[in-house]
Amino acid sequence: MEKQFTVKNPQGIHARPAGAIMKKASEFAATQISLELNGRKISAKSITGVLTLGMKAGDTVTVSAEGDQAEQAVEAVGAVIESVLD
Amino acid sequence: MLLKGIAAASGYAIGPAFIMEEQHTEIERRELPAGEVEAEAARLQAAVQQAMAELEQIKEKTAAKLGEHEAEIFATHILVLQDEEFIGQAVQKVRDESVNAEFAMSEVTQMLVDIFSSMDSEYMRERAADFRDVSKRVLTALSGQSGTSLNDFEEAVVLFAHDLTPSDTAQLDRSKVAGFATNIGGRTSHSAIMARSMEIPAVVGTQNGSEAVKTGDIVILDGSSGIILVNPDEDTIKTYEEKQAKYMKRQEAMKLYKDKPSITADGHEVELVSNIGNPQDALGARNNGAEGVGLYRTEFLYMGRDNFPSEEEQFNSYVAVCETLGAEKPVVIRTLDIGGDKELPYLELPKEMNPFLGYRAIRLCLDRKDLFKTQLRAILRASAHGNVKLMYPMISSIVELRAANELLAETKAELDAEGIAYNKEMEVGMMIEVPAAAIIADQLAKEVDFFSIGTNDLVQYTMAADRMNENVSHLTQPFNPAVIRLIKMVIDAAHKEGKWAGMCGEMAGNLKAVPLLLGLGLDEFSMSASSVLSVRVLLSRLNREEMKQLAEEALNLETAEEIQYLIVDRVPAIQELTI
């Protein structure tokens, strides 16, 4: 299961939204969730990974998930990526 | 001595300098005997625990002082310290390589910092600061110390440092630190952002400030223009103390007006909006109390790259602006205004003798239909997500306006055929920056929903004076009677057709011009975000009927000087608000 989402936060995914993405991903304990951008793939449950992915406004990020509730996980994490938190 | 840097947080700080010494302890690599490795790993984990406990405290204090929102940064820092990919790797390194904790920690940090350094956006590069900050805290804990406080001063100082981490900045006490300067950093670094919300004047990117200045030097830090004066004379100090007092008074007055409507003393309401160049500016507009965007300069989307932005990219940027401001807030998107002083290398246009009078803006877009229609599609699609209005630049004849509108109608028909949503009622307007357009404004007004007067170009074209040429700068100012008469013609022509008239040139945010423009009947004032609040305060003290009278008198005057003198004489509030 994978789907693409666009970063809309004008400031990109900095500390605060990165924390929100990681927390949302961690709610799905039995699901492996990854984010991919420009050929780099990281675990959405790692704050280091999320921050170092360097997502900025307008970037299209692929969210993929395996395991329980994969579809819900992708949608939930994608919604945080698209939300505008500053 | 004068130091220059980047203006990061406005305001003035005057006082003795304090230089924060860099703790440049070289971190050496030590190999450990096999028997000590586990103890070393445990020492690292204990230091991480201590760092987390300190961050927890900083987070609570920040929440109390600046609000939950600012404190969230430290919640993320705590998450970083809990992350297996960061701390876990450092611990693993101690075990795998039998090395000391300090070395493992700094190696892993450096690896992450390198990832950020390779990113192309300045904003993302600044994010490396998060990792440096937490890493420094762990290293301090490893050395057996606890985090230092930067507030142990007898009197308020101006702090100089190579860099300030977010946690350093959040802990600054306004009564002990009057302002700060750092050698590195930009307007979007965490310390700059925090300085603005803490209202501590700051200058960043001074290159060598912390080396050039000595502790105890008396300094004046001007966070509004990014300069620092070192050991100035008494007169200069006095001048700046007066500026500082005036600034504080104005700040207090402005705070009361942030979320208020823009309304005159006699109850006439106008719209104060902001000029922006990218989605990030929209945040600045919102935070400065702008009621929307009166000019979104889309050319910045096209610049600094080697090919055209796709429809999708443009759409995303436009929607980001709408979402940042709120869907009901007006966002006037100006179509591509390239040419003149703004070149686009990949467009491969021939060099021109007179680029300002040449092949630019709408003239070019009407020829490059592919390019133009891609942008029209993106703007139309964005209109389904906010209060988007479309604006054409540099129109000089009705033929051009009709040609542009025809392409817009074609684009709409294509979207209809594809079943793609857009706002069918979207307002379409044009800029008035060519005198020819001002003169036929009565005809143009019948075929648009609004005008926005671009004074920078209107002045230079009307006066035939290059605004980049200092030798003719006396001609390129907007109070010239010829310009004022054109502005009046444009506003009257719009109103006669029941349309609105705005202004998005620098004149709209000029405190001296506002009373006159109000009197001439301007409906919308679009300016840089930092001018919005002072203009709103000024408006609140003006009486519309009196300003109409003033405008009438001004129209009979013969020189720009007389007009300015009349305004300043009649409106004392301008002096109070000017710094």
Side-chain angles (χ1 to χ4, degrees):
Chain A
M1 169 67 201
E2 65 171 55
K3 197 172 163 187
Q4 297 196 316
F5 296 90
T6 305
V7 178
K8 292 186 178 151
N9 187 326
Q11 307 216 40
I13 303 299
H14 58 92
R16 281 187 290 262
I21 290 171
M22 178 260 177
K23 281 184 206 152
K24 181 55 75 183
S26 303
E27 288 173 16
F28 297 88
T31 323
Q32 283 210 357
I33 310 170
S34 310
L35 309 182
E36 190 175 349
L37 176 68
N38 300 330
R40 260 190 83 221
K41 194 168 183 177
I42 54 91
S43 162
K45 294 181 185 177
S46 157
I47 186 70
T48 309
V50 175
L51 278 169
T52 53
L53 205 51
M55 293 174 272
K56 56 183 191 302
D59 279 344
T60 304
V61 184
T62 306
V63 182
S64 55
E66 277 172 45
D68 295 356
Q69 295 184 292
E71 196 172 341
Q72 290 97 311
V74 167
E75 290 299 338
V77 171
V80 183
I81 289 175
E82 294 208 327
S83 71
V84 177
L85 288 164
D86 63 12
Chain B
M1 183 170 53
L2 173 80
L3 294 171
K4 277 192 183 142
I6 300 162
S10 57
Y12 301 87
I14 304 169
F18 181 87
I19 315 301
M20 189 176 138
E21 299 292 341
E22 260 309 277
Q23 285 146 359
H24 262 314
T25 38
E26 270 303 298
I27 288 168
E28 60 172 25
R29 184 175 193 277
R30 277 187 294 118
E31 298 236 1
L32 304 168
E36 289 178 20
V37 169
E38 268 319 301
E40 187 70 358
R43 191 169 76 91
L44 178 53
Q45 277 156 334
V48 170
Q49 290 304 321
Q50 187 189 325
M52 277 169 53
E54 287 175 15
L55 278 171
E56 195 64 54
Q57 277 191 1
I58 294 173
K59 184 182 142 215
E60 275 167 31
K61 278 190 194 158
T62 307
K65 202 159 76 174
L66 297 175
E68 290 292 337
H69 183 75
E70 297 293 343
E72 282 292 306
I73 290 174
F74 302 111
T76 299
H77 285 186
I78 293 169
L79 289 176
V80 167
L81 284 178
Q82 291 168 337
D83 191 355
E84 275 304 300
E85 284 199 22
F86 183 43
I87 298 305
Q89 268 195 49
V91 173
Q92 198 58 43
K93 205 173 175 74
V94 170
R95 290 193 177 121
D96 289 354
E97 299 177 22
S98 306
V99 287
N100 52 324
E102 288 87 351
F103 181 77
M105 190 68 204
S106 64
E107 283 282 287
V108 171
T109 307
Q110 194 53 46
M111 205 180 68
L112 293 169
V113 168
D114 286 345
I115 296 178
F116 282 108
S117 309
S118 67
M119 290 181 186
D120 53 1
S121 118
E122 188 213 330
Y123 190 84
M124 290 312 301
R125 282 197 298 269
E126 301 278 6
R127 301 287 73 79
D130 293 316
F131 289 96
R132 285 209 194 90
D133 192 0
V134 292
S135 173
K136 195 171 141 193
R137 189 167 296 283
V138 173
L139 289 173
T140 306
L142 279 170
S143 73
Q145 296 164 359
S146 60
T148 47
S149 162
L150 288 171
N151 297 313
D152 299 332
F153 306 113
E154 297 284 319
E155 55 177 331
V157 299
V158 179
L159 193 65
F160 284 77
H162 178 70
D163 190 19
L164 284 181
T165 62
S167 58
D168 288 336
T169 316
Q171 292 182 89
L172 295 180
D173 175 348
R174 186 94 180 65
S175 66
K176 293 288 166 57
V177 177
F180 71 80
T182 59
N183 296 0
I184 64 169
R187 260 192 78 78
T188 55
S189 45
H190 267 322
S191 52
I193 293 168
M194 287 197 141
R196 288 195 285 277
S197 58
M198 294 164 80
E199 296 176 13
I200 294 184
V203 175
V204 299
T206 61
Q207 315 274 354
N208 64 345
S210 72
E211 287 137 40
V213 180
K214 304 275 164 286
T215 292
D217 281 348
I218 297 298
V219 297
I220 297 172
L221 180 145
D222 176 351
S224 312
S225 57
I227 60 168
I228 297 160
L229 302 168
V230 185
N231 293 323
D233 58 41
E234 278 300 318
D235 284 349
T236 312
I237 294 181
K238 221 172 148 217
T239 310
Y240 273 90
E241 278 172 348
E242 281 163 16
K243 279 191 184 197
Q244 187 183 33
K246 207 164 159 185
Y247 177 84
M248 306 277 269
K249 204 174 146 198
R250 193 183 75 156
Q251 288 306 102
E252 287 307 311
M254 290 196 331
K255 262 185 214 158
L256 304 172
Y257 285 87
K258 185 164 172 262
D259 299 310
K260 295 275 168 60
S262 309
I263 196 159
T264 63
D266 54 343
H268 176 74
E269 194 165 347
V270 295
E271 206 166 57
L272 292 191
V273 288
S274 179
N275 298 342
I276 65 168
N278 57 50
Q280 210 172 309
D281 293 346
L283 216 54
R286 192 187 70 188
N287 294 340
N288 281 285
E291 295 162 82
V293 167
L295 170 65
Y296 180 178
R297 299 186 173 98
T298 56
E299 44 279 8
F300 294 111
L301 264 171
Y302 293 72
M303 291 157 83
R305 52 190 294 155
D306 48 24
N307 53 12
F308 293 107
S310 67
E311 177 185 324
E312 212 54 35
E313 255 178 277
Q314 296 189 47
F315 168 75
N316 286 330
S317 295
Y318 305 155
V319 171
V321 170
C322 294
E323 291 190 354
T324 302
L325 289 163
E328 77 291 355
K329 297 285 167 67
V331 176
V332 177
I333 304 180
R334 177 176 75 182
T335 61
L336 185 59
D337 180 11
I338 214 74
D341 55 344
K342 287 167 284 192
E343 284 181 45
L344 213 55
Y346 56 86
L347 207 52
E348 293 178 350
L349 291 172
K351 274 258 171 278
E352 298 186 337
M353 289 284 285
N354 284 310
F356 275 103
L357 302 181
Y359 193 48
R360 59 175 286 201
I362 198 74
R363 301 170 178 184
L364 188 147
C365 285
L366 290 175
D367 276 350
R368 295 293 305 267
K369 296 194 174 70
D370 50 332
L371 184 88
F372 192 45
K373 281 175 76 172
T374 302
Q375 184 172 37
L376 293 178
R377 275 180 72 98
I379 295 172
L380 280 165
R381 285 175 52 205
S383 74
H385 299 264
N387 185 4
V388 169
K389 302 168 201 264
L390 174 86
M391 177 161 79
Y392 306 123
M394 275 295 283
I395 298 274
S396 39
S397 76
I398 205 156
V399 177
E400 285 176 334
L401 174 62
R402 286 177 183 158
N405 272 336
E406 202 166 302
L407 290 172
L408 180 66
E410 260 178 54
T411 313
K412 284 182 175 176
E414 286 165 20
L415 290 177
D416 285 335
E418 295 167 48
I420 295 174
Y422 64 93
N423 173 16
K424 292 192 160 53
E425 309 293 314
M426 179 181 74
E427 287 186 28
V428 179
M430 57 172 275
M431 285 191 69
I432 301 263
E433 45 197 330
V434 182
I439 293 164
I440 57 162
D442 57 329
Q443 295 174 331
L444 294 166
K446 296 187 203 304
E447 302 189 22
V448 291
D449 296 309
F450 65 91
F451 288 143
S452 184
I453 307 170
T455 45
N456 305 353
D457 274 340
L458 185 65
V459 172
Q460 86 165 345
Y461 292 140
T462 303
M463 303 305 294
D466 183 349
R467 62 174 141 113
M468 319 280 191
N469 186 338
E470 283 180 23
N471 293 325
V472 294
S473 61
H474 58 291
L475 293 172
T476 55
Q477 53 101 339
F479 292 96
N480 278 297
V483 177
I484 304 298
R485 288 190 188 189
L486 283 181
I487 292 173
K488 178 178 164 52
M489 279 175 65
V490 173
I491 297 173
D492 289 350
H495 290 174
K496 193 154 171 264
E497 295 297 329
K499 313 292 169 69
W500 60 268
M503 179 178 286
C504 57
E506 274 162 39
M507 189 183 189
N510 179 338
L511 291 176
K512 260 194 259 178
V514 168
L516 177 60
L517 297 170
L518 176 72
L520 290 171
L522 196 73
D523 303 295
E524 180 230 43
F525 298 65
S526 190
M527 61 199 72
S528 64
S530 57
S531 302
V532 170
L533 284 174
S534 53
V535 170
R536 186 169 293 147
V537 175
L538 176 62
L539 277 169
S540 74
R541 310 221 187 133
L542 298 178
N543 186 305
R544 172 93 196 288
E545 290 308 312
E546 281 171 26
M547 293 307 118
K548 270 189 184 166
Q549 185 62 39
L550 173 112
E552 254 172 58
E553 286 174 51
L555 285 164
N556 288 320
L557 295 174
E558 291 163 335
T559 68
E561 287 68 32
E562 285 168 11
I563 294 178
Q564 288 186 74
Y565 183 81
L566 171 77
I567 301 168
V568 174
D569 182 52
R570 209 63 73 73
V571 186
I574 295 172
Q575 292 289 359
E576 272 172 56
L577 291 166
T578 308
I579 286 175

